[in-house]
Amino acid sequence: MEKWNELCFILSESVSINASEQIFELKVIQAFEKLGWSHFKKEISVRESIQIGSSNRITPDLIIKSNGANLFVIEVKKLSIDLKNPDHQFQLSSYMRMLRLNFGILIGNEIKIFIDGSLVGTNQFELLETISFKKDNPQGLKFINLFQKETFSQANIEKYIQEKIETIKDNQVIDHLRKEISTSEYCEFLKNKLKDKLLNDYNENIVEKVLEDFKVKIYNSSQIQIEAQHTIYLQSPRNSSENYDGTSKEMELAKIYKKVPVWFNKLDQKNSQILLNYLKLRAQKTPVTFFELEKACERIENFRSSYQAMKTISERNNAKVFDEVGKIISLWEPGKDFVEKEYEKYLQRQNL
């Protein structure tokens, strides 16, 4: 791990964020010399001009060689550049393709390892791994073992690539299944499974009447940030605001039309702060969970009781603006458009 920590010092701590690309390139050369590759012996080839075809030439930043044979190519970008820019990946991939190399390394404010996408059945070059310059980083130790001259071997590289390819393929299958099980067909399948279970104890007429009031929705936990990996929420319209009679709904809307404009003008009120915090969170990500809103409102005294009143239809509440299903918060549908229009007016006033 000491050698990786030394690389972190060379490539991160000892160089200014505003250093030029030429200066940082010297640091990268120094780092790979620490890994045993010799610039003097031309194992590190710097800006070599290479003839491609009859009229084209390329000049990669660095090529690591052994006995004159190209092992891998390195594209260097200064620390202040965002490596997520696809142009940098394209430049590296062009060099890899022209040099007929299966993998290459992009180095800037972090290390990115790419492979030829044809190895995983795609036309794009695939990102295998991103390694940050953090001391004692286990990924950094793996990088050292793979790319230092002493332990470098094509067999180890191929094994590493195959392991990463399997991970990429597994993730592709996982992403596909996550999307598939969120479809209405799977929701209906789960509802039918629930029905079969209930039919063991109740007659079909009762079960049909119970389930006709329920909807099944599958949420991805990586989006809603709750504890269970995939959670199924059953929502009964009879217990939701959608099933209140017209009189209650119209009365609640009348409250919204009266109260919400005031909330967007008197920002010292608890209701104002809670609603604004929700709308700001929603602008950053969807959906918003109760726990996220509670954290955003941690300085609001008696937040829970105030929030409870904002999601409930009752004679004494100020106005219902929220719905909550399985800790996921949304704007109450009947009043949603009005709230959003008032919020737009608020934002316009703030920008004046």
Side-chain angles (χ1 to χ4, degrees):
M1 192 63 79
E2 182 178 352
K3 190 170 288 187
W4 168 253
N5 290 341
E6 188 173 1
L7 255 65
C8 288
F9 175 79
I10 293 170
L11 297 175
S12 181
E13 297 175 38
S14 70
V15 58
S16 168
I17 188 72
N18 297 316
S20 68
E21 199 163 286
Q22 290 76 14
I23 291 175
F24 186 61
E25 184 179 277
L26 292 175
K27 290 287 187 179
V28 175
I29 293 170
Q30 180 187 354
F32 274 85
E33 286 190 315
K34 288 288 183 182
L35 295 181
W37 306 99
S38 172
H39 188 187
F40 172 71
K41 294 179 181 179
K42 298 183 179 179
E43 293 171 333
I44 305 175
S45 178
V46 181
R47 298 190 179 277
E48 179 181 351
S49 181
I50 302 172
Q51 183 78 34
I52 302 294
S54 58
S55 57
N56 295 322
R57 304 189 75 85
I58 59 171
T59 310
D61 291 339
L62 305 174
I63 303 174
I64 304 299
K65 297 171 175 279
S66 177
N67 298 320
N70 300 330
L71 299 179
F72 55 93
V73 61
I74 302 171
E75 180 68 16
V76 178
K77 296 298 175 186
K78 61 183 181 180
L79 292 172
S80 59
I81 286 181
D82 184 2
L83 296 188
K84 294 178 182 178
N85 188 323
D87 290 342
H88 307 322
Q89 177 184 337
F90 176 78
Q91 190 173 14
L92 175 63
S93 65
S94 297
Y95 294 149
M96 289 165 56
R97 184 179 292 111
M98 292 175 184
L99 295 171
R100 297 182 179 178
L101 296 171
N102 285 338
F103 72 99
I105 301 174
L106 182 61
I107 298 181
N109 53 20
E110 56 191 359
I111 297 174
K112 291 181 176 290
I113 303 173
F114 290 89
I115 62 164
D116 186 336
S118 64
L119 297 175
V120 291
T122 70
N123 294 324
Q124 303 296 323
F125 279 70
E126 293 285 343
L127 174 63
L128 278 192
E129 193 155 26
T130 298
I131 307 172
S132 58
F133 291 120
K134 294 180 181 178
K135 288 184 177 180
D136 301 323
N137 186 346
Q139 291 175 295
L141 180 59
K142 180 73 172 177
F143 178 84
I144 296 294
N145 292 333
L146 282 170
F147 295 106
Q148 67 180 351
K149 182 180 178 181
E150 181 183 356
T151 55
F152 182 88
S153 74
Q154 288 295 344
N156 286 340
I157 291 294
E158 288 175 10
K159 180 180 178 183
Y160 164 75
I161 289 175
Q162 285 304 315
E163 289 174 352
K164 292 297 180 180
I165 286 174
E166 290 304 314
T167 301
I168 290 172
K169 289 181 177 178
D170 287 347
N171 288 337
Q172 289 173 343
V173 174
I174 289 169
D175 288 342
H176 172 74
L177 287 176
R178 281 178 173 166
K179 291 176 182 177
E180 186 174 335
I181 66 173
S182 299
T183 61
S184 58
E185 287 82 2
Y186 270 81
C187 293
E188 192 62 29
F189 168 79
L190 290 173
K191 189 173 180 179
N192 288 333
K193 283 291 184 182
L194 178 59
K195 177 181 177 180
D196 291 341
K197 180 176 176 58
L198 292 174
L199 286 173
N200 291 330
D201 301 309
Y202 305 97
N203 69 55
E204 186 172 0
N205 184 51
I206 290 176
V207 171
E208 289 285 355
K209 287 187 175 297
V210 169
L211 291 182
E212 72 182 5
D213 288 339
F214 281 87
K215 295 183 292 185
V216 176
K217 179 68 177 175
I218 303 176
Y219 293 94
N220 188 317
S221 66
S222 64
Q223 296 173 336
I224 61 176
Q225 297 180 352
I226 61 175
E227 193 171 336
Q229 188 165 17
H230 290 91
T231 304
I232 301 171
Y233 298 107
L234 295 179
Q235 177 187 6
S236 170
R238 288 184 178 174
N239 294 327
S240 76
S241 58
E242 296 175 10
N243 208 48
Y244 281 91
D245 61 63
T247 303
S248 297
K249 177 180 173 181
E250 293 304 319
M251 290 175 62
E252 204 62 32
L253 284 172
K255 290 182 184 179
I256 288 177
Y257 300 150
K258 178 180 178 182
K259 296 285 187 178
V260 169
V262 176
W263 293 350
F264 284 124
N265 281 287
K266 295 186 177 180
L267 304 183
D268 57 326
Q269 296 185 13
K270 291 181 183 179
N271 293 332
S272 306
Q273 295 168 23
I274 292 171
L275 181 55
L276 280 172
N277 281 334
Y278 167 78
L279 292 168
K280 289 174 182 176
L281 282 172
R282 193 184 69 165
Q284 298 169 10
K285 65 176 291 295
T286 303
V288 176
T289 67
F290 169 78
F291 306 109
E292 292 167 333
L293 181 59
E294 184 178 41
K295 182 174 177 57
C297 299
E298 59 187 357
R299 295 186 179 180
I300 298 177
E301 187 177 354
N302 299 323
F303 158 75
R304 291 200 172 200
S305 59
S306 297
Y307 167 72
Q308 181 69 26
M310 296 173 73
K311 69 181 183 107
T312 307
I313 290 182
S314 70
E315 293 181 6
R316 297 183 179 181
N317 76 327
N318 282 315
K320 173 181 171 65
V321 292
F322 295 128
D323 259 339
E324 182 183 311
V325 179
K327 297 302 180 184
I328 296 175
I329 305 170
S330 60
L331 289 176
W332 185 47
E333 196 62 37
K336 177 181 177 182
D337 288 345
F338 181 78
V339 173
E340 289 177 340
K341 287 177 182 177
E342 290 300 310
Y343 182 50
E344 286 296 324
K345 293 178 185 177
Y346 161 79
L347 292 177
Q348 290 171 7
R349 292 195 299 270
Q350 295 298 109
N351 292 328
L352 290 179

PDB file of all heavy atoms in Angstrom, residues 223-242:
ATOM      1  N   GLN A 223     -33.490   4.645  -5.819  1.00  0.00           N
ATOM      2  CA  GLN A 223     -34.087   5.934  -6.144  1.00  0.00           C
ATOM      3  C   GLN A 223     -34.761   6.558  -4.935  1.00  0.00           C
ATOM      4  O   GLN A 223     -34.727   7.763  -4.749  1.00  0.00           O
ATOM      5  CB  GLN A 223     -35.123   5.769  -7.263  1.00  0.00           C
ATOM      6  CG  GLN A 223     -34.514   5.304  -8.578  1.00  0.00           C
ATOM      7  CD  GLN A 223     -35.573   4.984  -9.605  1.00  0.00           C
ATOM      8  OE1 GLN A 223     -36.717   4.687  -9.277  1.00  0.00           O
ATOM      9  NE2 GLN A 223     -35.197   5.036 -10.870  1.00  0.00           N
ATOM     10  N   ILE A 224     -35.366   5.747  -4.095  1.00  0.00           N
ATOM     11  CA  ILE A 224     -36.097   6.326  -2.974  1.00  0.00           C
ATOM     12  C   ILE A 224     -35.323   6.275  -1.674  1.00  0.00           C
ATOM     13  O   ILE A 224     -35.744   6.828  -0.673  1.00  0.00           O
ATOM     14  CB  ILE A 224     -37.460   5.638  -2.780  1.00  0.00           C
ATOM     15  CG1 ILE A 224     -37.269   4.144  -2.464  1.00  0.00           C
ATOM     16  CG2 ILE A 224     -38.312   5.793  -4.004  1.00  0.00           C
ATOM     17  CD1 ILE A 224     -38.564   3.431  -2.158  1.00  0.00           C
ATOM     18  N   GLN A 225     -34.124   5.604  -1.675  1.00  0.00           N
ATOM     19  CA  GLN A 225     -33.217   5.611  -0.543  1.00  0.00           C
ATOM     20  C   GLN A 225     -33.879   5.170   0.754  1.00  0.00           C
ATOM     21  O   GLN A 225     -33.839   5.861   1.768  1.00  0.00           O
ATOM     22  CB  GLN A 225     -32.599   7.009  -0.354  1.00  0.00           C
ATOM     23  CG  GLN A 225     -31.760   7.434  -1.543  1.00  0.00           C
ATOM     24  CD  GLN A 225     -31.165   8.802  -1.366  1.00  0.00           C
ATOM     25  OE1 GLN A 225     -31.477   9.508  -0.419  1.00  0.00           O
ATOM     26  NE2 GLN A 225     -30.316   9.189  -2.280  1.00  0.00           N
ATOM     27  N   ILE A 226     -34.528   4.034   0.696  1.00  0.00           N
ATOM     28  CA  ILE A 226     -35.058   3.463   1.920  1.00  0.00           C
ATOM     29  C   ILE A 226     -34.343   2.162   2.175  1.00  0.00           C
ATOM     30  O   ILE A 226     -33.544   1.697   1.362  1.00  0.00           O
ATOM     31  CB  ILE A 226     -36.584   3.253   1.843  1.00  0.00           C
ATOM     32  CG1 ILE A 226     -36.915   2.292   0.702  1.00  0.00           C
ATOM     33  CG2 ILE A 226     -37.310   4.547   1.709  1.00  0.00           C
ATOM     34  CD1 ILE A 226     -38.382   1.949   0.636  1.00  0.00           C
ATOM     35  N   GLU A 227     -34.625   1.560   3.309  1.00  0.00           N
ATOM     36  CA  GLU A 227     -33.805   0.458   3.766  1.00  0.00           C
ATOM     37  C   GLU A 227     -33.962  -0.793   2.914  1.00  0.00           C
ATOM     38  O   GLU A 227     -32.996  -1.424   2.540  1.00  0.00           O
ATOM     39  CB  GLU A 227     -34.155   0.143   5.226  1.00  0.00           C
ATOM     40  CG  GLU A 227     -33.151  -0.772   5.886  1.00  0.00           C
ATOM     41  CD  GLU A 227     -33.392  -0.893   7.364  1.00  0.00           C
ATOM     42  OE1 GLU A 227     -33.990   0.018   7.930  1.00  0.00           O
ATOM     43  OE2 GLU A 227     -32.994  -1.902   7.930  1.00  0.00           O
ATOM     44  N   ALA A 228     -35.164  -1.159   2.565  1.00  0.00           N
ATOM     45  CA  ALA A 228     -35.376  -2.388   1.794  1.00  0.00           C
ATOM     46  C   ALA A 228     -34.926  -2.190   0.360  1.00  0.00           C
ATOM     47  O   ALA A 228     -35.074  -1.125  -0.198  1.00  0.00           O
ATOM     48  CB  ALA A 228     -36.853  -2.756   1.816  1.00  0.00           C
ATOM     49  N   GLN A 229     -34.383  -3.238  -0.252  1.00  0.00           N
ATOM     50  CA  GLN A 229     -33.846  -3.098  -1.606  1.00  0.00           C
ATOM     51  C   GLN A 229     -34.954  -2.880  -2.618  1.00  0.00           C
ATOM     52  O   GLN A 229     -34.855  -2.053  -3.491  1.00  0.00           O
ATOM     53  CB  GLN A 229     -33.026  -4.325  -1.974  1.00  0.00           C
ATOM     54  CG  GLN A 229     -32.296  -4.137  -3.294  1.00  0.00           C
ATOM     55  CD  GLN A 229     -31.228  -5.165  -3.490  1.00  0.00           C
ATOM     56  OE1 GLN A 229     -31.209  -6.190  -2.842  1.00  0.00           O
ATOM     57  NE2 GLN A 229     -30.329  -4.891  -4.404  1.00  0.00           N
ATOM     58  N   HIS A 230     -36.007  -3.651  -2.547  1.00  0.00           N
ATOM     59  CA  HIS A 230     -37.184  -3.390  -3.371  1.00  0.00           C
ATOM     60  C   HIS A 230     -38.402  -3.560  -2.473  1.00  0.00           C
ATOM     61  O   HIS A 230     -38.608  -4.608  -1.901  1.00  0.00           O
ATOM     62  CB  HIS A 230     -37.285  -4.370  -4.550  1.00  0.00           C
ATOM     63  CG  HIS A 230     -36.235  -4.137  -5.579  1.00  0.00           C
ATOM     64  ND1 HIS A 230     -35.019  -4.774  -5.547  1.00  0.00           N
ATOM     65  CD2 HIS A 230     -36.199  -3.318  -6.649  1.00  0.00           C
ATOM     66  CE1 HIS A 230     -34.292  -4.382  -6.562  1.00  0.00           C
ATOM     67  NE2 HIS A 230     -34.985  -3.490  -7.250  1.00  0.00           N
ATOM     68  N   THR A 231     -39.203  -2.502  -2.368  1.00  0.00           N
ATOM     69  CA  THR A 231     -40.330  -2.514  -1.454  1.00  0.00           C
ATOM     70  C   THR A 231     -41.617  -2.383  -2.239  1.00  0.00           C
ATOM     71  O   THR A 231     -41.712  -1.569  -3.148  1.00  0.00           O
ATOM     72  CB  THR A 231     -40.224  -1.349  -0.450  1.00  0.00           C
ATOM     73  OG1 THR A 231     -38.959  -1.466   0.208  1.00  0.00           O
ATOM     74  CG2 THR A 231     -41.337  -1.410   0.569  1.00  0.00           C
ATOM     75  N   ILE A 232     -42.598  -3.185  -1.888  1.00  0.00           N
ATOM     76  CA  ILE A 232     -43.901  -3.132  -2.552  1.00  0.00           C
ATOM     77  C   ILE A 232     -44.861  -2.384  -1.642  1.00  0.00           C
ATOM     78  O   ILE A 232     -45.016  -2.722  -0.467  1.00  0.00           O
ATOM     79  CB  ILE A 232     -44.443  -4.542  -2.820  1.00  0.00           C
ATOM     80  CG1 ILE A 232     -43.448  -5.303  -3.710  1.00  0.00           C
ATOM     81  CG2 ILE A 232     -45.820  -4.479  -3.458  1.00  0.00           C
ATOM     82  CD1 ILE A 232     -43.782  -6.752  -3.847  1.00  0.00           C
ATOM     83  N   TYR A 233     -45.498  -1.355  -2.163  1.00  0.00           N
ATOM     84  CA  TYR A 233     -46.459  -0.586  -1.377  1.00  0.00           C
ATOM     85  C   TYR A 233     -47.855  -0.864  -1.900  1.00  0.00           C
ATOM     86  O   TYR A 233     -48.097  -0.792  -3.106  1.00  0.00           O
ATOM     87  CB  TYR A 233     -46.173   0.913  -1.495  1.00  0.00           C
ATOM     88  CG  TYR A 233     -44.839   1.304  -0.961  1.00  0.00           C
ATOM     89  CD1 TYR A 233     -43.809   1.658  -1.828  1.00  0.00           C
ATOM     90  CD2 TYR A 233     -44.594   1.286   0.402  1.00  0.00           C
ATOM     91  CE1 TYR A 233     -42.562   2.004  -1.344  1.00  0.00           C
ATOM     92  CE2 TYR A 233     -43.348   1.634   0.891  1.00  0.00           C
ATOM     93  CZ  TYR A 233     -42.344   1.994   0.019  1.00  0.00           C
ATOM     94  OH  TYR A 233     -41.113   2.337   0.510  1.00  0.00           O
ATOM     95  N   LEU A 234     -48.748  -1.156  -0.998  1.00  0.00           N
ATOM     96  CA  LEU A 234     -50.150  -1.337  -1.355  1.00  0.00           C
ATOM     97  C   LEU A 234     -50.913  -0.099  -0.895  1.00  0.00           C
ATOM     98  O   LEU A 234     -50.895   0.239   0.283  1.00  0.00           O
ATOM     99  CB  LEU A 234     -50.722  -2.581  -0.668  1.00  0.00           C
ATOM    100  CG  LEU A 234     -50.113  -3.926  -1.113  1.00  0.00           C
ATOM    101  CD1 LEU A 234     -50.754  -5.047  -0.326  1.00  0.00           C
ATOM    102  CD2 LEU A 234     -50.284  -4.143  -2.601  1.00  0.00           C
ATOM    103  N   GLN A 235     -51.557   0.563  -1.812  1.00  0.00           N
ATOM    104  CA  GLN A 235     -52.284   1.781  -1.486  1.00  0.00           C
ATOM    105  C   GLN A 235     -53.774   1.563  -1.700  1.00  0.00           C
ATOM    106  O   GLN A 235     -54.209   1.180  -2.784  1.00  0.00           O
ATOM    107  CB  GLN A 235     -51.806   2.945  -2.362  1.00  0.00           C
ATOM    108  CG  GLN A 235     -52.597   4.229  -2.089  1.00  0.00           C
ATOM    109  CD  GLN A 235     -52.223   5.311  -3.071  1.00  0.00           C
ATOM    110  OE1 GLN A 235     -51.477   5.088  -4.005  1.00  0.00           O
ATOM    111  NE2 GLN A 235     -52.749   6.490  -2.869  1.00  0.00           N
ATOM    112  N   SER A 236     -54.538   1.815  -0.677  1.00  0.00           N
ATOM    113  CA  SER A 236     -55.984   1.704  -0.795  1.00  0.00           C
ATOM    114  C   SER A 236     -56.587   3.070  -1.069  1.00  0.00           C
ATOM    115  O   SER A 236     -56.427   3.981  -0.270  1.00  0.00           O
ATOM    116  CB  SER A 236     -56.579   1.153   0.501  1.00  0.00           C
ATOM    117  OG  SER A 236     -57.987   1.266   0.462  1.00  0.00           O
ATOM    118  N   PRO A 237     -57.257   3.252  -2.189  1.00  0.00           N
ATOM    119  CA  PRO A 237     -57.902   4.530  -2.452  1.00  0.00           C
ATOM    120  C   PRO A 237     -58.885   4.931  -1.361  1.00  0.00           C
ATOM    121  O   PRO A 237     -59.125   6.104  -1.144  1.00  0.00           O
ATOM    122  CB  PRO A 237     -58.612   4.305  -3.798  1.00  0.00           C
ATOM    123  CG  PRO A 237     -57.854   3.195  -4.441  1.00  0.00           C
ATOM    124  CD  PRO A 237     -57.421   2.316  -3.302  1.00  0.00           C
ATOM    125  N   ARG A 238     -59.442   3.959  -0.654  1.00  0.00           N
ATOM    126  CA  ARG A 238     -60.401   4.320   0.394  1.00  0.00           C
ATOM    127  C   ARG A 238     -59.726   5.016   1.556  1.00  0.00           C
ATOM    128  O   ARG A 238     -60.367   5.696   2.336  1.00  0.00           O
ATOM    129  CB  ARG A 238     -61.114   3.058   0.893  1.00  0.00           C
ATOM    130  CG  ARG A 238     -62.096   2.512  -0.138  1.00  0.00           C
ATOM    131  CD  ARG A 238     -62.866   1.339   0.391  1.00  0.00           C
ATOM    132  NE  ARG A 238     -63.817   0.867  -0.589  1.00  0.00           N
ATOM    133  CZ  ARG A 238     -64.550  -0.216  -0.443  1.00  0.00           C
ATOM    134  NH1 ARG A 238     -64.429  -0.949   0.641  1.00  0.00           N
ATOM    135  NH2 ARG A 238     -65.395  -0.572  -1.379  1.00  0.00           N
ATOM    136  N   ASN A 239     -58.399   4.809   1.656  1.00  0.00           N
ATOM    137  CA  ASN A 239     -57.664   5.470   2.726  1.00  0.00           C
ATOM    138  C   ASN A 239     -56.887   6.672   2.220  1.00  0.00           C
ATOM    139  O   ASN A 239     -56.156   7.293   2.959  1.00  0.00           O
ATOM    140  CB  ASN A 239     -56.673   4.483   3.368  1.00  0.00           C
ATOM    141  CG  ASN A 239     -57.402   3.376   4.083  1.00  0.00           C
ATOM    142  OD1 ASN A 239     -58.473   3.596   4.623  1.00  0.00           O
ATOM    143  ND2 ASN A 239     -56.829   2.182   4.062  1.00  0.00           N
ATOM    144  N   SER A 240     -56.992   6.970   0.939  1.00  0.00           N
ATOM    145  CA  SER A 240     -56.247   8.095   0.390  1.00  0.00           C
ATOM    146  C   SER A 240     -57.179   9.266   0.158  1.00  0.00           C
ATOM    147  O   SER A 240     -58.395   9.160   0.212  1.00  0.00           O
ATOM    148  CB  SER A 240     -55.608   7.696  -0.949  1.00  0.00           C
ATOM    149  OG  SER A 240     -56.596   7.671  -1.960  1.00  0.00           O
ATOM    150  N   SER A 241     -56.533  10.419  -0.143  1.00  0.00           N
ATOM    151  CA  SER A 241     -57.321  11.632  -0.331  1.00  0.00           C
ATOM    152  C   SER A 241     -58.162  11.573  -1.600  1.00  0.00           C
ATOM    153  O   SER A 241     -59.093  12.338  -1.756  1.00  0.00           O
ATOM    154  CB  SER A 241     -56.373  12.823  -0.410  1.00  0.00           C
ATOM    155  OG  SER A 241     -55.451  12.634  -1.460  1.00  0.00           O
ATOM    156  N   GLU A 242     -57.830  10.655  -2.513  1.00  0.00           N
ATOM    157  CA  GLU A 242     -58.560  10.600  -3.783  1.00  0.00           C
ATOM    158  C   GLU A 242     -60.021  10.195  -3.584  1.00  0.00           C
ATOM    159  O   GLU A 242     -60.847  10.424  -4.443  1.00  0.00           O
ATOM    160  CB  GLU A 242     -57.887   9.598  -4.729  1.00  0.00           C
ATOM    161  CG  GLU A 242     -56.481  10.007  -5.135  1.00  0.00           C
ATOM    162  CD  GLU A 242     -55.807   8.937  -5.962  1.00  0.00           C
ATOM    163  OE1 GLU A 242     -56.503   7.979  -6.359  1.00  0.00           O
ATOM    164  OE2 GLU A 242     -54.606   9.044  -6.215  1.00  0.00           O
TER     165      GLU A 242
END
